[in-house]
Amino acid sequence: MDISTKAQILSDAMPYIQKYYDKIVVVKYGGNAMLNEELKNAVMRDIVMLSLIGVKVVLVHGGGPEISDMLKRVGKESKFIGGLRYTDEETAEIVQMVLAGKINKNLVGMLTRHGGKALGFCGIDGNMFVCKKAKGEQDLGFVGEITEVNAQPVLDALDNGYIPVIASVSSDVEGNTYNVNADTAAARVAAALKAENLILMTDIRGLLMDKNDESTLISEVNVSDVPSLKKKGVIGGGMIPKVDCCVEAVRRGVKQSIIIDGRIPHAILIDMLTSEGVGTLFK
């Protein structure tokens, strides 16, 4: 690629930079992009770049595989009910240690090494998330449902030029620690911040008309069409909770939510700073 082509690419990105300048974008980080070191570095560089051009990026993360690995190390079996991790009291402690400790601080360190300014939080810090025990057909133990969001710690960090990195661990009014689904946490944070975008990183192209054919990507969905897509079976299985988070965020005031393919290097930049989408947009 010659110098003129590189300059043209930067020039073409200007309208998108103007669109997102000084706006809040919440990125839920997970999937393959979190396990592959090359992709992880690409994601961190992209987030730092967005921050440097004036986009206020908030990073929310989970860490299911690393939690499972730590449980295995201590001789504890991972148990899932309806796609959610059953969390007894001991598991809740391990979840807090892995998410709020190891993963959160590693991500903060990576952002710093790539030239960014980052601060690590979990939902307990500044009483950011208040939750209650999640109710379902089966008992999930210490799995929490967010009831309140205090966005002030995040806003304070953004106003001082930091990238907030948030682990999806929370507590209730009695101080009990809960494991909270990271997609749900990201949606609630984005809503509380009235974010321009909520971006969920996944391991698939996005929402597919035929789940076995990636060429059937649905590039845009109106949230009012989601119930009919569920009835048709287009939205099913593991996509249901992700789509529900996108819908909830939009209905709570986020301008748009996007499920993007985290396997694609620089997927965030492609989606935000070019006319080429790499996933499914909900609005």
Side-chain angles (χ1 to χ4, degrees), residues 32-50:
N32 192 55
M34 201 168 186
L35 299 175
N36 181 296
E37 283 301 314
E38 185 176 348
L39 286 174
K40 186 186 291 187
N41 276 288
V43 171
M44 295 302 111
R45 285 196 299 270
D46 290 353
I47 289 173
V48 171
M49 178 182 169
L50 290 172

Side-chain angles (χ1 to χ4, degrees), residues 78-120:
S78 294
K79 179 181 176 182
F80 293 89
I81 300 173
L84 296 174
R85 184 186 302 276
Y86 175 79
T87 308
D88 59 20
E89 190 169 2
E90 182 182 18
T91 301
E93 292 179 359
I94 292 172
V95 167
Q96 182 176 356
M97 176 181 68
V98 173
L99 293 186
K102 181 184 176 184
I103 295 175
N104 188 271
K105 302 315 170 192
N106 284 348
L107 293 176
V108 168
M110 289 185 73
L111 289 167
T112 302
R113 287 193 296 275
H114 285 298
K117 292 171 59 180
L119 283 175

Side-chain angles (χ1 to χ4, degrees), residues 100-193:
K102 181 184 176 184
I103 295 175
N104 188 271
K105 302 315 170 192
N106 284 348
L107 293 176
V108 168
M110 289 185 73
L111 289 167
T112 302
R113 287 193 296 275
H114 285 298
K117 292 171 59 180
L119 283 175
F121 299 92
C122 75
I124 300 171
D125 295 317
N127 212 28
M128 193 183 305
F129 302 149
V130 177
C131 72
K132 64 180 181 180
K133 180 181 173 67
K135 292 183 179 180
E137 294 181 2
Q138 298 185 59
D139 180 28
L140 294 168
F142 288 88
V143 171
E145 174 186 332
I146 296 174
T147 57
E148 297 176 35
V149 178
N150 172 23
Q152 197 58 52
V154 180
L155 291 170
D156 289 344
L158 290 172
D159 288 344
N160 284 282
Y162 288 94
I163 301 165
V165 182
I166 305 172
S168 56
V169 178
S170 182
S171 61
D172 62 14
V173 293
E174 297 175 352
N176 298 304
T177 299
Y178 284 87
N179 183 15
V180 176
N181 178 271
D183 290 342
T184 303
R188 291 298 303 270
V189 168
L193 294 169

Side-chain angles (χ1 to χ4, degrees), residues 241-263:
K242 292 188 179 299
V243 170
D244 286 347
C245 285
C246 289
V247 171
E248 180 181 11
V250 171
R251 287 180 173 165
R252 285 179 178 267
V254 178
K255 283 200 173 180
Q256 59 186 29
S257 300
I258 308 163
I259 296 176
I260 67 170
D261 190 347
R263 300 169 301 178

